[in-house]
């Protein structure tokens, strides 16, 4: 049949074409690579990877250098002319008079406060040592206006008395404008430290306070064996109303210096001692001190 013959011919041509294509492909294929040992392949791969890593590091370093900020450059030094103009401008600047006045006032006030604090500290130290002379203002309130003669309450005490009793008397003497007198100093006249410690304990308003900044009572403490001998003080506490200034150093006075007309001895409050002094004939002498005690 004609159809069958055509099919066989076509099949033969198709097979011939496949054979030609296979030969052409075999001619174009590269020669087969020779096989290498496994160790050499591993070393080659490691070397290739190392080279690739080094290339990446170099590329990263190059990028970092390209993007890094430049080093700071110091500013150029101005020339002498520019500096001169700047200083001349500062000199020509006008000052505010009000500001200068306020500054001067603040400086003066600060100096006054500093001087006042220094005087107060020196006075507290001198009081603690029993070396300070009384201020005129401290004794001025003892005398009534128009009186030609003044009497100062002098309370004779001893360092052997209880400290609380001495503190109580100090508070009462502060109100009455009186003076506390000791015959001698604890530990002897050559040792100042024990007397300073005792004076600070008596005069300190707050018994728990320590240091030179503590508030002290305005009472004068004196060490005067002469005034004890003049009044014949045998036991303490005792009270005498002494005319004038009883705080003058005993080395500057003599036996003829003014003394009190009476001496009251006994363990009593200052008001009781003053009242007893008045009953002995010294009403005029104790009038001002009693008035101060009653008023405060």
């Amino acid at each position: 049949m004609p159809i069958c013959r055509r099919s066989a011919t076509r099949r033969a041509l198709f097979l011939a074409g496949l054979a030609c294509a296979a030969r052409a492909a075999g001619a174009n294929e590269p020669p087969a690579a020779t096989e290498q040992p496994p160790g050499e392949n591993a070393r080659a791969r490691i070397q290739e990877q190392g080279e690739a890593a080094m290339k990446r590091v170099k590329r990263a370093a190059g990028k970092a250098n390209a993007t890094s900020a430049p080093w700071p450059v110091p500013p150029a030094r101005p020339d002498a002319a520019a500096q001169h103009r700047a200083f001349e401008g500062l000199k020509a600047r006008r000052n505010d008079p009000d500001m200068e006045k306020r500054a001067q006032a603040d400086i003066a006030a600060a100096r006054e406060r500093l001087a006042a604090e220094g005087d107060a500290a020196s006075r507290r130290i001198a009081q603690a040592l029993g070396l300070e002379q009384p201020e005129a203002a401290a004794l001025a309130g003892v005398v009534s206006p128009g009186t030609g003669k003044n009497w100062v309450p002098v309370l004779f005490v001893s360092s052997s008395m209880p400290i609380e009793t001495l503190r109580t008397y100090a508070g009462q003497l502060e109100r009455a404008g009186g003076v506390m007198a000791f015959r001698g100093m604890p530990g002897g006249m050559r040792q100042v430290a024990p007397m300073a410690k005792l004076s600070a304990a008596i005069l300190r308003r707050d018994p728990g306070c320590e240091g030179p900044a503590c508030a002290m009572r305005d009472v004068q403490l004196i060490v005067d064996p002469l005034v004890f001998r003049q009044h014949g003080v045998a036991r303490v506490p005792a009270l005498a109303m002494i005319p004038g200034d009883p705080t003058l150093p005993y080395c500057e006075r003599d036996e003829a210096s003014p003394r009190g007309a009476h001496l009251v001895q006994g363990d009593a409050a200052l008001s009781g001692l003053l009242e007893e002094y008045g009953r002995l004939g010294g009403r005029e002498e104790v009038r001002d001190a009693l008035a101060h005690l009653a008023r405060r």
Side-chain angles (χ1 to χ4, degrees):
M1 293 177 64
I3 295 174
C4 292
R5 284 195 296 271
R6 290 193 196 101
S7 297
T9 304
R10 290 176 181 176
R11 208 164 32 246
L13 292 174
F14 179 72
L15 292 173
L18 286 177
C20 292
R23 282 194 299 271
N28 294 331
E29 286 182 358
T34 59
E35 294 184 358
Q36 296 180 354
E40 294 182 359
N41 292 336
R43 282 196 298 271
R45 287 195 297 271
I46 292 173
Q47 185 176 0
E48 292 176 358
Q49 292 176 0
E51 293 176 355
M54 287 299 297
K55 291 179 180 179
R56 289 195 295 270
V57 170
K58 290 180 179 180
R59 286 197 299 270
K63 292 180 180 179
N65 293 332
T67 57
S68 60
W71 288 96
V73 179
R77 186 176 181 180
D79 57 356
Q83 290 183 346
H84 180 71
R85 288 195 301 272
F87 283 114
E88 290 298 327
L90 291 175
K91 291 179 181 179
R93 184 177 61 86
R94 297 182 59 184
N95 296 328
D96 187 359
D98 294 337
M99 185 177 295
E100 288 187 358
K101 289 180 180 178
R102 289 197 299 269
Q104 294 296 332
D106 292 340
I107 293 173
R111 288 176 177 172
E112 291 178 359
R113 287 196 299 270
L114 183 61
E117 291 175 0
D119 293 341
S122 300
R123 187 172 182 276
R124 286 195 295 268
I125 294 173
Q127 266 189 343
L129 295 175
L131 303 176
E132 182 191 16
Q133 297 299 324
E135 298 178 353
L139 298 177
V142 180
V143 186
S144 347
T147 304
K149 194 172 185 179
N150 64 310
W151 291 270
V152 179
V154 176
L155 185 68
F156 300 91
V157 296
S158 171
S159 59
S160 61
M161 295 173 58
I163 188 65
E164 290 301 326
T165 302
L166 295 174
R167 284 179 49 80
T168 301
Y169 276 130
Q172 297 170 359
L173 288 169
E174 182 181 28
R175 294 162 56 191
V179 175
M180 185 177 292
F182 291 84
R183 185 190 299 271
M185 299 171 62
M189 297 298 289
R190 294 185 178 182
Q191 297 184 14
V192 180
M195 186 62 194
K197 184 177 180 180
L198 176 63
S199 301
I202 295 172
L203 298 177
R204 194 178 291 121
R205 292 185 180 275
D206 182 5
C209 182
E210 296 291 342
C214 299
M216 296 289 185
R217 295 191 181 278
D218 190 12
V219 179
Q220 181 68 21
L221 273 62
I222 61 173
V223 178
D224 193 339
L226 178 60
V227 74
F228 272 76
R229 185 169 63 250
Q230 284 178 330
H231 293 82
V233 179
R235 61 190 180 93
V236 293
L239 175 73
M241 301 297 297
I242 299 179
D245 186 0
T247 63
L248 290 175
Y250 65 87
C251 57
E252 298 180 5
R253 294 184 285 112
D254 53 25
E255 295 290 343
S257 59
R259 66 189 67 187
H262 310 283
L263 180 68
V264 179
Q265 296 178 335
D267 189 4
L270 182 62
S271 58
L273 295 174
L274 290 171
E275 291 173 357
E276 181 63 22
Y277 194 98
R279 283 193 292 270
L280 293 176
R283 293 187 179 276
E284 181 183 356
E285 301 172 19
V286 300
R287 180 181 56 199
D288 296 311
L290 286 173
H292 288 315
L293 282 174
R295 186 167 55 246
R296 298 186 183 182

